[in-house]
Amino acid sequence: MSNEKATLSVGGKTIELPVYSGTEGPDVIDVRSLVQEGFFTYDPGYVSTASCESKITYIDGANGVLLHRGYPIEQLAQHADYLEVCYLLVHGELPTEEENERFRNTVNNHTMIHDQMSHFFNGFRRDAHPMAIMVGVVGALSAFYHDTMDLTCEQEREIAAFRLIAKMPTIAAMCYKYSMGQPFMYPRNDLSYAENFLHMMFAVPCEEYKVNPVLAKAMDRIFILHADHEQNASTSTVRLSGSTGANPFAVIASGIAALWGPAHGGANEAVLNMLNEIGDESRVEECVARAKDKNDPFRLMGFGHRVYKNFDPRAKVMRETAHEVLTELGLQDDPLLRIAQRLEQIALEDDYFIERKLYPNVDFYSGIILKAIGIPTSMFTVIFAMSRTIGWFAHWNEMVSGNYRIGRPRQLYTGYSPRDYPKKK
Ligand code: CMC
């Protein structure tokens, strides 16, 4: 906290407001006392609002910086694996070798879901969107784990974290298998987290499936790069729903629902749909012109970011990984991927995108990688949700282990003033 005060003159009053400094980032003005002075602040879309104090993730959008617990995302993507990042996000420090092993073993002990849960899937239509299934099934975890719902107990919260980290890939892969009409594959605890996910997605009981190490590494990178991203829409949803005292599984389900939209986690699916719609390299210019036309609501999916007004550091890593995967699979000439490359090239050179600082974001490249691996578009956001679960959990855990109040924003009311109900004849 600094000694500085901000002064606000309004309605004939002068109000002094405390100013706080974080370890990084802009100072914040504490406006909490304004309500006693008869004012609310107005910030639709929360562009200038810090909704909480947090020690987990820092983003400097102007300089393309993303840190988890102080570590740059590029270094984590290069040196750590997803489970280490999970440990870091929740515990605040990287694990020692011993802690790392214990953490992995415990995750492995929770990879199966309650057998009764597999019956849920039969209640869904085969053509249901896997996100619709996931929201339901993850919310239903709270019907199975009554033993870990005491929010005040650190140990119970930790068990809930293990259950979520371990079961999300199993549930995600089951969503896919159900849509394909294939039998569910049980998890294999001798495989790494990413290998096991690919196994549950693509193996079938009637033949051996060998996990390609390049694809497993790419998958692990996708998990790391999506693990957390500060107070975005879904994380803020998780904090808000968690602030009511809801259980962790219900809270994570609320995050999944918020992530689903095309302006957030649904963007990677929207990128592929857009590339399919463009259909041919010769139509890329036409599509860029539409994106620039103010009378056309069309936007280039996978471009732009609310916070990054510079290259998204995750997109840089993802771009490299995309090249590794395409080379490994011999897909450099895939028509859809050629459209993507042309789009990227034009947008990076076009004044409209340069002036507005609209760079390709993480979803632009992750969509390309997932498609190359053979994952259907409808599963893209599911994979984002499963990776982000640990970030949501870490934020929820940070909130409930400290002092928190129920989240309750106010409004600028512009409806009718009081009026009488019309007399009936
Ligand atoms: N294509 C064309 N124009 C765009 C785009 C785009 N993708 N994104 C922003 N703009 C324009 C927008 O029209 C506006 O122009 P002007 O100043 O002339 O009115 C200007 O850029 C600023 O846009 P904004 O809507 O004020 O920006 P925002 O911060 O509210 O929105 C965004 C950020 C990510 C929702 C938006 O860029 C977008 O819709 N992008 C496409 C969807 C997408 O890729 N989303 C994934 C985000 S990354 C994953 C995640 O973290 O969830």
Side-chain angles (χ1 to χ4, degrees):
M1 192 179 311
S2 77
N3 288 329
E4 207 187 332
K5 298 242 186 258
T7 310
L8 179 70
S9 298
V10 58
K13 290 181 189 175
T14 300
I15 306 165
E16 285 211 325
L17 302 166
V19 178
Y20 308 139
S21 300
T23 42
E24 299 286 336
D27 288 351
V28 301
I29 302 169
D30 183 344
V31 295
R32 280 177 292 182
S33 63
L34 283 182
V35 66
Q36 282 124 39
E37 305 289 348
F39 296 102
F40 296 148
T41 54
Y42 182 58
D43 185 19
Y46 309 121
V47 283
S48 298
T49 296
S51 61
C52 61
E53 185 188 326
S54 181
K55 293 182 169 53
I56 301 171
T57 290
Y58 172 69
I59 301 174
D60 175 353
N63 293 308
V65 173
L66 169 61
L67 310 177
H68 292 321
R69 302 287 190 180
Y71 295 107
I73 189 68
E74 297 88 338
Q75 292 183 24
L76 291 172
Q78 197 183 349
H79 303 297
D81 71 4
Y82 178 67
L83 286 183
E84 257 177 283
V85 174
C86 290
Y87 187 98
L88 174 71
L89 287 170
V90 176
H91 294 278
E93 295 296 338
L94 287 168
T96 60
E97 236 172 78
E98 205 183 290
E99 286 164 341
N100 199 2
E101 204 186 320
R102 206 172 334 124
F103 189 77
R104 275 159 213 277
N105 287 340
T106 317
V107 169
N108 274 346
N109 279 334
H110 288 92
T111 49
M112 288 200 300
I113 60 166
H114 193 292
D115 208 41
Q116 194 72 13
M117 284 196 90
S118 56
H119 300 305
F120 283 7
F121 286 82
N122 293 328
F124 290 101
R125 284 171 56 134
R126 292 269 176 195
D127 62 354
H129 194 289
M131 281 296 276
I133 302 181
M134 196 176 215
V135 158
V137 175
V138 172
L141 286 172
S142 40
F144 287 83
Y145 300 113
H146 302 282
D147 56 332
T148 48
M149 309 266 247
D150 179 0
L151 315 184
T152 60
C153 174
E154 192 181 337
Q155 216 181 350
E156 291 204 6
R157 292 201 305 270
E158 194 180 20
I159 299 171
F162 281 124
R163 287 188 165 137
L164 283 161
I165 300 168
K167 292 182 202 310
M168 286 304 271
T170 313
I171 294 172
M174 286 173 89
C175 292
Y176 173 63
K177 287 297 196 192
Y178 183 72
S179 72
M180 295 293 288
Q182 288 182 4
F184 298 138
M185 294 300 292
Y186 283 116
R188 266 187 48 191
N189 295 347
D190 59 320
L191 298 177
S192 74
Y193 193 81
E195 287 170 343
N196 180 42
F197 177 63
L198 289 173
H199 154 79
M200 289 189 291
M201 284 285 293
F202 296 120
V204 285
C206 47
E207 60 188 40
E208 202 198 338
Y209 173 76
K210 261 191 142 18
V211 181
N212 178 327
V214 176
L215 305 191
K217 186 172 153 226
M219 210 63 239
D220 197 67
R221 283 236 164 119
I222 289 183
F223 297 158
I224 293 176
L225 296 176
H226 286 92
D228 189 41
H229 212 229
E230 205 226 51
Q231 312 305 328
N232 53 79
S234 56
T235 304
S236 298
T237 302
V238 161
R239 282 192 181 254
L240 193 57
S241 58
S243 76
T244 67
N247 74 71
F249 305 106
V251 159
I252 298 298
S254 78
I256 298 174
L259 187 78
W260 194 354
H264 192 10
N268 50 16
E269 180 175 348
V271 169
L272 258 285
N273 292 340
M274 176 188 73
L275 296 178
N276 273 318
E277 220 175 279
I278 298 173
D280 191 86
E281 244 185 294
S282 62
R283 292 193 52 220
V284 171
E285 271 90 351
E286 184 192 318
C287 154
V288 172
R290 274 191 69 196
K292 288 158 55 175
D293 181 357
K294 286 283 138 217
N295 299 316
D296 190 328
F298 175 78
R299 284 188 167 196
L300 278 194
M301 287 294 125
F303 284 79
H305 200 276
R306 167 58 65 81
V307 180
Y308 294 115
K309 302 302 173 192
N310 197 320
F311 220 94
D312 178 342
R314 302 169 302 168
K316 272 191 203 154
V317 180
M318 211 55 118
R319 189 173 191 269
E320 262 171 44
T321 310
H323 285 290
E324 282 166 24
V325 168
L326 298 185
T327 310
E328 169 70 14
L329 297 174
L331 283 175
Q332 296 97 318
D333 284 330
D334 182 88
L336 221 55
L337 302 170
R338 286 173 63 124
I339 297 173
Q341 277 163 351
R342 182 87 188 107
L343 199 60
E344 179 196 22
Q345 188 194 1
I346 296 186
L348 287 176
E349 289 167 358
D350 190 297
D351 282 347
Y352 174 94
F353 293 89
I354 295 169
E355 278 160 20
R356 288 167 180 75
K357 301 186 166 58
L358 298 171
Y359 297 95
N361 58 44
V362 66
D363 290 322
F364 185 71
Y365 299 108
S366 65
I368 293 170
I369 299 173
L370 293 172
K371 154 134 188 11
I373 291 179
I375 291 175
T377 19
S378 60
M379 280 296 291
F380 289 6
T381 316
V382 168
I383 289 171
F384 191 162
M386 115 191 201
S387 321
R388 182 56 60 84
T389 292
I390 193 59
W392 292 329
F393 179 86
H395 282 273
W396 170 82
N397 191 47
E398 181 179 66
M399 182 182 73
V400 299
S401 53
N403 288 326
Y404 66 103
R405 300 176 77 182
I406 186 170
R408 176 56 170 93
R410 302 306 299 258
Q411 61 175 4
L412 168 66
Y413 175 69
T414 52
Y416 285 111
S417 294
R419 52 183 180 155
D420 290 326
Y421 186 82
K423 279 197 183 108
K424 285 196 175 130
K425 283 181 193 152

